Amino acid sequence: MARKVFYISDGTAITAEVFGHAVLSQFPMEFEAITIPFVETNAKAEAVKKQINDSFITTGERPLVFHSIVKPEIRDVIYSSEGLDYDFLNTFVAPLEQQLGVSAAPVLHRTHGKANHSYEARIDAINFAMENDDGQTLKHMDKADIILLGVSRCGKTPSSLYLSMQFGIKAANYPFTEDDMDSLKLPEALKRNKHKLFGLTIDPVRLQEIRQSRMENSRYSSLRQCRMEVKEVEMMFKKERIPYIDTTNHSVEEIATKILDMTGMERHMF
Amino acid sequence: MARKVFYISDGTAITAEVFGHAVLSQFPMEFEAITIPFVETNAKAEAVKKQINDSFITTGERPLVFHSIVKPEIRDVIYSSEGLDYDFLNTFVAPLEQQLGVSAAPVLHRTHGKANHSYEARIDAINFAMENDDGQTLKHMDKADIILLGVSRCGKTPSSLYLSMQFGIKAANYPFTEDDMDSLKLPEALKRNKHKLFGLTIDPVRLQEIRQSRMENSRYSSLRQCRMEVKEVEMMFKKERIPYIDTTNHSVEEIATKILDMTGMERHMF
């Protein structure tokens, strides 16, 4: 049976999840995760403690408990459970206090809260990505931070949205479609913003799989068409000296961070 | 001068950033952060070490180094720098190995890689959120996991996108506009999926600010109009017994996780 894991926080629990997930992904075994956010009151903490203890009784194994709890009195209740505590906030805060010569002043909801000064810029970036997706307009290209190019279904949309959501970057994207293939060229609004262009490409076999699941047995999803489009677009990237990456074996996180790494664009954290 | 912080990884560095940001946000001071992802070779690790050491020489303070480096030989190079290491992977992996009786088998790119079994489902969810944003179609409501409702600019779009991106949830959203206000009612496709409906509301003064920055001095952005729309929509939520939350003082992360918490929907991690 998969080992039980609890991710607990008095905030969103996103940090506890990311932290626990990163640590546990180093182990070649399965875990069964339960996330409990917003544990803000003693009553809720006691209920969570009971849930942890019940899991211990049922399974005979002490559940792993990853938490990022800011309030000391809530943390104490969780500590007193039968779970095995992995408390990365506390583990690192004490040594840091010593190094910095500054006492921590924990404030709830600071990690993923709205207090962050660049919050408005992030929402603007998300709206920008939505409104400038898939070449639906070229009016705002001058305001874009980056413009992703590529064939249909190579990963432009998720990458643009991730760049905006995670890093507050205004990402537009523009597709090259079947009709463009005879004479691939950059529209004027893109030429003018050439330094912002970044290409995505993909293995034609993988592209065909993705297109098949959307539009079965069409010309659009034929291997022949996929091969041709990828080849033409890659040639264009080379000719125009547009930097590009292959998305085939990469997650959205990897594509987005590779783009930032290659372009030297700054990351904003939220 | 702000203390220098490095976030370093042989992967995307997203985990190192989230981890460092969560720890440092407990301190009431400013930091200057530099993120260096994809440190995969010895040569790159040596260059990063030099950068850390240079920063020490220039500022006279040892930089803080948060890292999540999987490869031991890369980690050793970073350890040998003048930075102060905060290595949360290693700190927790050893005690976990003992508890689990299982050796860690570190694999690069597992945390934010594509290997994750539900990766396709996530991309499907992102595409779903895009295609079913802002009520542009009601054809796919039967396939939605959740449908967010609210007035224009109350936070529906960022919340839908975040739910899909972070948790793999198929989130649609539907706006109530000025024209609906005389007799607010749910379209048939929403009525049929009543158990999926979730409302967002917002403080009218804040709403007015947001609308002003998009369409200055219009009826749409008048306080009177904002008040009226919010009041009508909240009344409808109550009458139809649609659960809802106020987004005014909350980040996208908080809104999304509150929705999951209140609906009991499962979170998928990526």
Side-chain angles (χ1 to χ4, degrees):
Chain A
M1 204 169 64
R3 187 72 174 244
K4 277 263 175 66
V5 179
F6 287 85
Y7 299 130
I8 301 172
S9 173
D10 38 8
T12 64
I14 291 171
T15 305
E17 280 183 334
V18 171
F19 157 60
H21 182 68
V23 172
L24 295 180
S25 68
Q26 306 303 311
F27 288 88
M29 55 188 287
E30 293 285 310
F31 297 93
E32 189 192 328
I34 299 162
T35 302
I36 311 178
F38 306 114
V39 182
E40 290 166 294
T41 63
N42 254 34
K44 202 158 173 195
E46 290 290 348
V48 172
K49 176 180 167 180
K50 187 171 181 308
Q51 200 177 342
I52 294 169
N53 291 348
D54 287 349
S55 161
F56 175 46
I57 293 167
T58 315
T59 65
E61 287 184 320
R62 298 178 70 187
L64 310 179
V65 179
F66 290 85
H67 54 83
S68 59
I69 301 176
V70 170
K71 276 193 194 162
E73 61 274 24
I74 303 289
R75 197 164 52 212
D76 288 346
V77 175
I78 303 302
Y79 271 140
S80 72
S81 79
E82 296 292 341
L84 295 161
D85 290 286
Y86 299 94
D87 176 351
F88 83 109
L89 269 190
N90 258 23
T91 303
F92 290 96
V93 165
L96 264 166
E97 282 182 322
Q98 211 164 17
Q99 278 298 338
L100 298 171
V102 173
S103 290
V107 175
L108 205 56
H109 305 309
R110 202 188 272 160
T111 315
H112 284 109
K114 210 172 165 177
N116 201 304
H117 37 282
S118 39
Y119 193 79
E120 302 290 312
R122 180 196 197 186
I123 297 294
D124 285 348
I126 296 170
N127 288 326
F128 186 91
M130 286 295 289
E131 287 161 15
N132 296 281
D133 181 54
D134 207 30
Q136 56 188 283
T137 171
L138 291 174
K139 271 191 302 187
H140 313 115
M141 292 304 109
D142 297 348
K143 286 190 202 137
D145 294 319
I146 192 157
I147 304 163
L148 304 183
L149 307 177
V151 302
S152 167
R153 296 291 140 185
C154 69
K156 297 183 302 300
T157 294
S159 303
S160 304
L161 290 174
Y162 193 84
L163 283 166
S164 69
M165 182 80 77
Q166 185 78 7
F167 301 119
I169 284 169
K170 287 186 176 164
N173 74 77
Y174 182 84
F176 294 111
T177 63
E178 200 183 324
D179 301 339
D180 301 321
M181 292 299 150
D182 286 341
S183 65
L184 265 187
K185 55 174 184 259
L186 295 171
E188 187 46 42
L190 299 189
K191 263 192 208 156
R192 197 167 66 225
N193 288 286
K194 190 120 179 242
H195 58 291
K196 298 177 184 172
L197 303 182
F198 197 99
L200 300 183
T201 190
I202 185 169
D203 174 52
V205 176
R206 177 70 192 124
L207 180 62
Q208 190 227 359
E209 278 172 27
I210 298 170
R211 289 187 173 183
Q212 276 285 0
S213 73
R214 283 189 79 85
M215 227 183 273
E216 236 179 324
N217 300 324
S218 59
R219 177 166 154 175
Y220 170 80
S221 64
S222 70
L223 186 55
R224 184 196 168 101
Q225 179 70 20
C226 291
R227 273 194 214 287
M228 186 275 280
E229 290 186 19
V230 168
K231 192 177 145 211
E232 290 293 330
V233 169
E234 283 187 8
M235 272 168 51
M236 200 266 280
F237 290 158
K238 283 175 193 152
K239 195 181 119 224
E240 301 280 353
R241 297 174 192 272
I242 295 166
Y244 69 97
I245 54 172
D246 187 331
T247 65
T248 313
N249 294 308
H250 295 295
S251 69
V252 176
E253 278 81 356
E254 288 169 340
I255 298 166
T257 51
K258 279 265 181 216
I259 292 170
L260 296 189
D261 198 36
M262 287 173 70
T263 57
M265 284 173 77
E266 217 185 311
R267 300 156 81 129
H268 309 278
M269 264 302 291
F270 298 97
Chain B
M1 204 169 65
R3 186 73 174 243
K4 276 264 174 67
V5 180
F6 287 85
Y7 299 129
I8 302 173
S9 173
D10 38 8
T12 64
I14 292 171
T15 304
E17 280 183 334
V18 170
F19 155 60
H21 182 69
V23 173
L24 294 180
S25 68
Q26 304 304 311
F27 287 88
M29 54 189 287
E30 292 287 310
F31 298 94
E32 189 192 329
I34 299 161
T35 302
I36 311 178
F38 306 115
V39 182
E40 291 166 295
T41 63
N42 253 36
K44 202 159 174 196
E46 289 291 347
V48 172
K49 177 181 166 179
K50 187 172 180 310
Q51 199 177 341
I52 293 168
N53 291 349
D54 287 349
S55 163
F56 175 47
I57 292 165
T58 314
T59 65
E61 289 185 317
R62 299 177 69 187
L64 310 179
V65 180
F66 289 85
H67 55 80
S68 58
I69 301 175
V70 170
K71 275 191 195 165
E73 62 274 26
I74 303 289
R75 197 164 51 211
D76 289 345
V77 176
I78 304 301
Y79 271 140
S80 73
S81 79
E82 295 293 342
L84 294 162
D85 291 287
Y86 299 94
D87 177 352
F88 84 109
L89 269 191
N90 258 24
T91 304
F92 291 96
V93 165
L96 263 166
E97 282 182 323
Q98 211 166 13
Q99 278 299 340
L100 297 170
V102 173
S103 290
V107 175
L108 206 56
H109 304 310
R110 202 188 270 161
T111 315
H112 284 109
K114 210 173 165 174
N116 200 305
H117 38 281
S118 39
Y119 193 79
E120 302 290 313
R122 180 195 197 186
I123 297 296
D124 286 348
I126 295 170
N127 288 326
F128 186 91
M130 287 295 288
E131 289 160 14
N132 297 281
D133 180 54
D134 207 30
Q136 57 189 280
T137 171
L138 290 175
K139 270 191 302 188
H140 312 116
M141 292 304 110
D142 297 347
K143 287 189 200 136
D145 294 320
I146 191 158
I147 305 163
L148 303 184
L149 308 178
V151 302
S152 168
R153 297 291 143 184
C154 69
K156 298 182 302 298
T157 295
S159 304
S160 303
L161 290 174
Y162 194 84
L163 283 166
S164 69
M165 183 81 77
Q166 184 77 8
F167 301 118
I169 284 169
K170 287 187 177 164
N173 73 77
Y174 183 83
F176 294 110
T177 63
E178 198 183 326
D179 301 339
D180 301 322
M181 291 299 150
D182 285 340
S183 64
L184 267 188
K185 53 176 187 253
L186 296 171
E188 186 48 42
L190 299 188
K191 265 192 209 156
R192 198 167 64 225
N193 289 285
K194 188 120 180 244
H195 58 291
K196 298 177 183 173
L197 302 183
F198 197 98
L200 300 183
T201 191
I202 186 169
D203 174 52
V205 176
R206 176 70 193 125
L207 180 62
Q208 191 228 357
E209 276 172 29
I210 299 170
R211 290 187 174 182
Q212 276 284 1
S213 74
R214 285 189 78 85
M215 227 183 272
E216 235 178 324
N217 299 325
S218 59
R219 177 165 155 175
Y220 169 80
S221 64
S222 69
L223 186 55
R224 186 197 164 99
Q225 180 70 20
C226 291
R227 274 194 213 285
M228 186 274 282
E229 290 187 18
V230 168
K231 192 179 146 211
E232 289 293 330
V233 168
E234 284 187 7
M235 270 168 53
M236 200 265 279
F237 291 158
K238 283 175 193 153
K239 194 181 119 223
E240 299 281 354
R241 295 172 192 272
I242 295 167
Y244 69 97
I245 54 173
D246 186 331
T247 65
T248 312
N249 294 307
H250 295 295
S251 69
V252 176
E253 280 80 357
E254 289 169 340
I255 298 166
T257 50
K258 280 265 180 215
I259 292 171
L260 296 188
D261 197 37
M262 285 173 70
T263 58
M265 284 174 77
E266 218 183 312
R267 299 155 82 130
H268 309 278
M269 264 301 292
F270 297 98

